Amino acid sequence: MKQIMKMVLVLTVLGLVSGLVLSLVSNYATPIINENNREAIKEAIFYVLPKTEDYEVKTIEGKDIYVTRDSEGQVNGYAFTASGSGYQGTIELMVGVNSNLEEIQGIQVLDSSETPGLGGKIRGGNFKNQFRGEDASGGVSLVKSAPTEPGEIEAITGATISSKAVVDIINKGLDQVQEIMGSGE
Amino acid sequence: MLKDFVKGIWRENPVFVQVLGMCPTLAVTTSLINGLSMGLATTFVLIASGLAISSLRKVIPDQVRIASFMIIIASFVTVVKLLFEAHIPTISTQLGPYLPLIVTNCIILGRQEAFASKEPVSRSLMDALGMGLGFAFALVVLGSVRELFYQGTIADVEILGSWYKSMIIMVQPAGAFISLSILVALFKKLSSRG
């Protein structure tokens, strides 16, 4: 009996101390982590819409849309996050479009676990810069050779699935945002 | 005392000799910096839980020792994870799920079972320090080798010139196994001479 009491007591005290320490550390770290995440979002917005001076979040139908303004206070575009399955795990993107939602201004990869050296190249400038100023009135499409038509994106050699995933995620996200914004205004 | 420290780095190196903790060893060593941060995070958890468990070794009843060790280890791992996320978010993203998975690293529970739960605090500290740094040392070597042959750099400093064509296999699982096996063989060769 005495032995059992001791076991219960030791585990209870350990659990309590552990809970106390963890809640203290969590109280300290959580605001900093949130701040880091906000900072990452902010950086991504400024990357996908380079002329941005300031932005505000608008939540329409449950979707966060970042309305960005240039140095003259004019709305210069919208940024939104979009995600979907890649070759490995989920790819999360920040997409920036111009104010009539017809031209992509830039994309940024927020999160992906694509194979380093292959699909991982979706994080690289060569791939991402293809989207700058790309006509997306009819969505973007993937080609395996140098693009000839507007809206065409060249796939990364050896990483067609990852490239296709990015294009699909963008199209899906664009559709959704066009619908939301179309109905909202 | 000194022997407790040195054995972890060389004669009983957790990676090269005991071949323990293979999951993080293979998964995160795509570059020197990733290997080093994983190594140091693990060292911290080893030292902290070693100290705690060694000082509580007479209080913790034998029947619930593993449960108690796990509470202590998991708490320290969570502390490390939160601090990494708060202060070095880029490295925390790179290490991904392997940071919280330090909980399941068998080196840590192994050292508590084999050493800290039986030996005084000072010796346990030396043991944890030695094993931790031995683990970090192995991860740094492996990370440097893989980074070098992947893109010709070590810690992002160019070593091989621009002529070097990157070997993608080195950052993939196959490259991890190949480099690790060559390093284990080399280590065996070196240590059997001395």
Side-chain angles (χ1 to χ4, degrees), chain A residues 25 28-29 32-33 36, chain B residues 33-45 76-96 98-100 102:
Chain A
V25 176
Y28 159 77
I32 309 179
I33 295 171
N36 289 343
Chain B
I33 191 77
N34 285 1
L36 181 67
S37 13
M38 181 49 122
L40 292 182
T42 311
T43 306
F44 170 79
V45 175
F76 284 122
V77 171
T78 313
V79 168
V80 171
K81 176 182 168 280
L82 286 170
L83 293 182
F84 265 54
E85 274 178 19
H87 294 295
I88 33 178
T90 38
I91 289 177
S92 158
T93 329
Q94 293 260 334
L95 296 180
Y98 295 100
L99 198 53
I102 295 176

Side-chain angles (χ1 to χ4, degrees), chain A residues 3 6-8 10-11 14-15 18-19 21-22 25-26 28-30 32-33 36 110-111 115-118 121 123, chain B residues 30 56 58-64 67-68 71-72 74-75 78-79 82-83 85-87 89 93 150 168 171-172:
Chain A
Q3 192 60 26
K6 197 185 170 197
M7 278 156 52
V8 172
V10 166
L11 283 179
L14 274 179
S18 151
V21 171
L22 288 184
V25 176
S26 167
Y28 159 77
T30 311
I32 309 179
I33 295 171
N36 289 343
L110 296 175
D111 191 23
T115 323
L118 291 168
K121 285 188 186 157
R123 286 179 186 274
Chain B
T30 48
L56 293 173
K58 290 186 181 117
V59 184
I60 297 173
D62 217 32
Q63 298 91 325
V64 292
S68 314
I71 297 176
I72 294 169
S75 309
T78 313
V79 168
L82 286 170
L83 293 182
E85 274 178 19
H87 294 295
T93 329
Y150 168 52
I168 290 171
V171 283
Q172 293 178 345

Side-chain angles (χ1 to χ4, degrees), chain A residues 139-182:
Chain A
V140 281
S141 56
L142 194 71
V143 290
K144 289 198 177 178
S145 49
T148 49
E149 305 278 322
E152 285 186 345
I153 298 295
E154 189 181 348
I156 298 165
T157 315
T160 316
I161 298 178
S162 305
S163 316
K164 181 93 176 78
V166 171
V167 166
D168 287 346
I169 293 166
I170 292 174
N171 285 338
K172 213 180 79 193
L174 259 176
D175 273 352
Q176 195 195 359
V177 170
Q178 278 164 348
E179 199 173 298
I180 294 174
M181 300 298 283

Side-chain angles (χ1 to χ4, degrees), chain A:
Chain A
M1 195 59 203
K2 202 176 151 245
Q3 192 60 26
I4 292 177
M5 286 303 289
K6 197 185 170 197
M7 278 156 52
V8 172
L9 190 71
V10 166
L11 283 179
T12 312
V13 171
L14 274 179
L16 284 175
V17 173
S18 151
L20 179 72
V21 171
L22 288 184
S23 64
L24 287 177
V25 176
S26 167
N27 270 349
Y28 159 77
T30 311
I32 309 179
I33 295 171
N34 289 341
E35 182 56 38
N36 289 343
N37 293 342
R38 257 197 307 278
E39 200 60 33
I41 294 275
K42 190 173 154 193
E43 233 170 74
I45 293 172
F46 281 75
Y47 178 84
V48 297
L49 289 157
K51 291 200 189 90
T52 302
E53 278 288 314
D54 195 19
Y55 70 93
E56 52 180 335
V57 194
K58 248 190 184 171
T59 310
I60 311 171
E61 292 177 23
K63 173 102 186 146
D64 282 346
I65 294 179
Y66 305 96
V67 182
T68 63
R69 289 173 194 280
D70 61 16
S71 50
E72 279 144 34
Q74 296 291 321
V75 172
N76 67 331
Y78 304 99
F80 56 90
T81 58
S83 58
S85 310
Y87 183 65
Q88 286 171 345
T90 305
I91 301 178
E92 194 183 5
L93 303 173
M94 177 69 79
V95 183
V97 289
N98 68 348
S99 49
N100 59 14
L101 305 172
E102 279 178 355
E103 198 183 281
I104 297 176
Q105 302 293 299
I107 65 158
Q108 176 67 295
V109 181
L110 296 175
D111 191 23
S112 96
S113 38
E114 300 303 289
T115 323
L118 291 168
K121 285 188 186 157
I122 59 169
R123 286 179 186 274
N126 284 347
F127 184 69
K128 285 190 300 194
N129 286 339
Q130 290 192 67
F131 291 90
R132 289 222 186 268
E134 192 71 39
D135 176 35
S137 41
V140 281
S141 56
L142 194 71
V143 290
K144 289 198 177 178
S145 49
T148 49
E149 305 278 322
E152 285 186 345
I153 298 295
E154 189 181 348
I156 298 165
T157 315
T160 316
I161 298 178
S162 305
S163 316
K164 181 93 176 78
V166 171
V167 166
D168 287 346
I169 293 166
I170 292 174
N171 285 338
K172 213 180 79 193
L174 259 176
D175 273 352
Q176 195 195 359
V177 170
Q178 278 164 348
E179 199 173 298
I180 294 174
M181 300 298 283
S183 68
E185 279 164 358

